[in-house]
Amino acid sequence: MRDTLERLPAWARWALYAAIGVFLLTAVQTISDTERLTQVATAREMLRFAVPIFLAGLGGLFSERAGVVNIGLEGMLILGMWFGAWGSIEYGAWWGLLIGVLGGMIGGLLHAIATVTFQVDHIISGVAINILAPALARYLSEEIWESPTTSPRTSAVGDWDVPFLAGGTIFGWESPDWLLSIANQEWWYVSDVAQLSRGLLRGTSWVSIIAIALVPLTAWLIWRTRFGLRLRICGEKPSAGEAQGINIIRYKYIAVIISGGLAGLGGAFISTELSGLFQGGNSAGRGFIGLAALIFGNWRPGGVLLGALLFGYVFGLDLRDLDGTASHAMLLVTAIAFAGVAAWAYTRRRTTDTILAGVLGGGALFWWFIADTVPSWWSNTLPYVIVLLVLVFFSQRLRMPAALGQPYRRGET
Amino acid sequence: MRRLAFSLAAPLGAFVLTLIVSTIALLAFGSSPTEAYGDMLSHAAKLETQVDILNRATPFYLSAVAAAIGFRMNLFNIGVEGQYLMGFLFAAQVGSMVNLPQVLHIFVIMATAMIVSSLYAGLAGILKTTRGVNEVISTIMLNSIAVGGLIAWLQQEWQADLGENFSSTALGTNEIAESGLLPTINGIVEIFTREVGQGKELTGMFLIAIAVGVAYYVLLNRTRFGFDLRASGINPFAARAGGVPPKRMVLAAMMLSGAVAGLIGMVELAERGKFPPDPIQGLGFAGIGVALLGRNNPGGMAFAAILFAFLDVSSGVLDSTGAASREIATIMQGIVLLTAVIAYGVANRLRERDEAREAAEALSANAEVVPA
């Protein structure tokens, strides 16, 4: 069965995973007293949360594929937030995005200078950037907007409804909204899929569309081009690349600067699209979560997106779940996921893992039985707990670049 | 002599570079650098400001020691932030529930903070030793779990019942009785100087921080444990071959780091008598910066902590004099950190090159003596 799965083309495999995921949600929802798990707004919030996480994670992918650990993503994201807001106010929405990207790139350049040229420990340089970036943003805000934490309103690049599927307009003609009609039929599972898809396709920010387009683009760049191959050599075995005449230093610089630019785009998205202004603290650790998505996604573009969407789903669901019923239903989803992990571990004869997953899943199931609602901490911590659990259970299946975090000097092996 | 020059040149170079960059930043927005620096220095010359600076340097220093314990064995405890806030919150809650004689009450509060923080840090240690989970990632995740989830929730659960006296300043956990608050040590300061005015009080945690610094020095340089810790940091394989159990060391270092982190919040607890709704945040990350700047050295970190505190506190005067935006101080913190880290790296490389050349010269000198 695994062979059949692996013979499928990537898009079909992902579609299958998505269908199974929604099926699980629908099944759980049927026996729960909530409808939020598959609502249109849930999918929309998921995407809005996921995009900056994904962009930061993708930034991390470029940097780490080239062997440079990037804890500074959070700082670069904050630079993108500030510069994006400033650019948007001064020159308009699209310029704002571009300037946000440039702001993030400045952070990336700093990180590259410290780690690649001066061989400062990557974590240390990243921490320094995370301290410097918010300080710079506060200073510039104070000097330019006369408030260290908030800017005036920014403008956004706007959004798009997909024609036919989600009722978008083509040259002024309003196309039918097919997904809405399917959703209104209230067919079990089918309507749920329609609702979630419609949340992704209607009122979608252009930045989100760019972000999603970056998945195949990055995959192509990393796996199919000469540039990507050389980038990966920097992260796997730089001395081998050097022997081939590749300028490792240059590629590392490019990778880390791209990394900062992507995190900057994520930051610009937060200030111009999500909040509509720059606000200190609005990054809310998304740079760090992006790093988590990168690990969750096993340093692959599609995996990073999957991780970002998963975290975005949990955050987005929590945002609208005022009475805690949807979070309660998520307990059952968690229990089922643990059951899956336990089964997987059992087939591999990993007894400790089987027992651990079984106990955790049993605990979630028990909690689901005895409680009607769950306290806020459950959904607020779930994304981070997921990352820890992935590392606990699957760290042997994760494969990070071999030379990640190691200093590189020309002429040394 | 050359070595001393190397080790002094790096921080000095970083300092000069920081001054240059911040001067540019000031000039860029039409502020006068001389006026801004002058205002900050003259403000810092006042005794009351100095008390504030020491009060601020104390948590910075504790946080730096916590981070440094990990750094000395190449263990990155990025999670000091979450650890100290957890310890702080639990200590405030436990402290408000009990009523004990002073010494015992304070002891119970501090022990609670240290134990809770230590256990929280130990989680990352267990994940690393049993499952090989990288501590950088796990401590970042545990930070978010603590700050965004557990603490926000526990703050609500443990919110003091205000009844009709509701006001936003009264929010927080129940107030701790007077017996649980660490006394201030103005008396000791005033032996050497005049009376401290403006109701400023030097926190008693200042003495504890000094004690922690001394203990850190003794532990690392004069005990078996410290030797094992440093050995594991320099070469884990050699340490292992030398009989140092690597897993136990990781767990011990992590929990010790967490225990020291637990003390960070005690400064604010003594000042405010409860876990406030808006505790000072970022002390954990600042502490990492202080540790890096002070090169994990007890004296160096003390200097760095005071420098960071000086920038934080004395920049406050800029709000009233209007010479510049006070945020310039945070910029200077960030830049001095980044430039210092780079400068240390460069100095290290120069010294290595120097030593290699010396060794080569010594070898060739020997070679001439040996008859062919």
Side-chain angles (χ1 to χ4, degrees), chain A residues 47-63:
Chain A
L47 191 62
R48 283 159 59 85
F49 267 97
V51 165
I53 296 174
F54 167 71
L55 287 169
L58 198 65
L61 184 138
F62 273 92
S63 169

Side-chain angles (χ1 to χ4, degrees), chain B residues 131-147:
Chain B
R131 291 292 166 137
V133 178
N134 183 300
E135 77 280 3
V136 175
I137 301 302
S138 65
T139 50
I140 287 175
M141 293 301 117
L142 286 168
N143 268 346
S144 304
I145 289 173
V147 178

Side-chain angles (χ1 to χ4, degrees), chain A residues 71 117-121 124 127-128 131-132 135-136 138-139 142-143 292 295 353 375 377 381 384 391-392 409, chain B residues 25 29 76 127 131 133 136-137 141 144-145 149 153 285 288 292 325 327-328 330-331 338 341-342 346 349:
Chain A
I71 296 276
T117 303
F118 292 108
Q119 283 137 25
V120 171
D121 186 282
I124 290 177
V127 168
I131 292 177
L132 182 61
L136 192 67
R138 279 180 72 92
Y139 179 69
E142 173 72 42
E143 289 293 351
I295 295 164
D353 284 14
W377 67 263
T381 58
Y384 315 107
L391 289 170
V392 163
R409 280 185 209 176
Chain B
F29 291 98
F76 288 89
L127 286 175
R131 291 292 166 137
V133 178
V136 175
I137 301 302
M141 293 301 117
S144 304
I145 289 173
W153 174 66
F285 287 107
I288 295 173
L292 295 174
S325 157
E327 307 302 332
I328 191 68
T330 357
I331 299 234
L338 200 61
V341 169
I342 291 176
V346 173
R349 258 166 89 185

Side-chain angles (χ1 to χ4, degrees), chain A residues 262-282:
Chain A
L262 287 170
L265 182 62
F269 178 82
I270 294 174
S271 52
T272 61
E273 304 281 321
L274 291 188
S275 358
L277 58 112
F278 168 81
Q279 201 159 25
N282 258 7

Side-chain angles (χ1 to χ4, degrees), chain B residues 96-131:
Chain B
S96 70
M97 292 193 310
V98 294
N99 238 330
L100 295 163
Q102 183 161 31
V103 177
L104 199 62
H105 199 172
I106 293 173
F107 176 80
V108 166
I109 289 173
M110 292 208 173
T112 309
M114 291 175 79
I115 291 169
V116 170
S117 298
S118 178
L119 289 178
Y120 202 63
L123 270 181
I126 290 174
L127 286 175
K128 188 177 175 76
T129 50
T130 59
R131 291 292 166 137

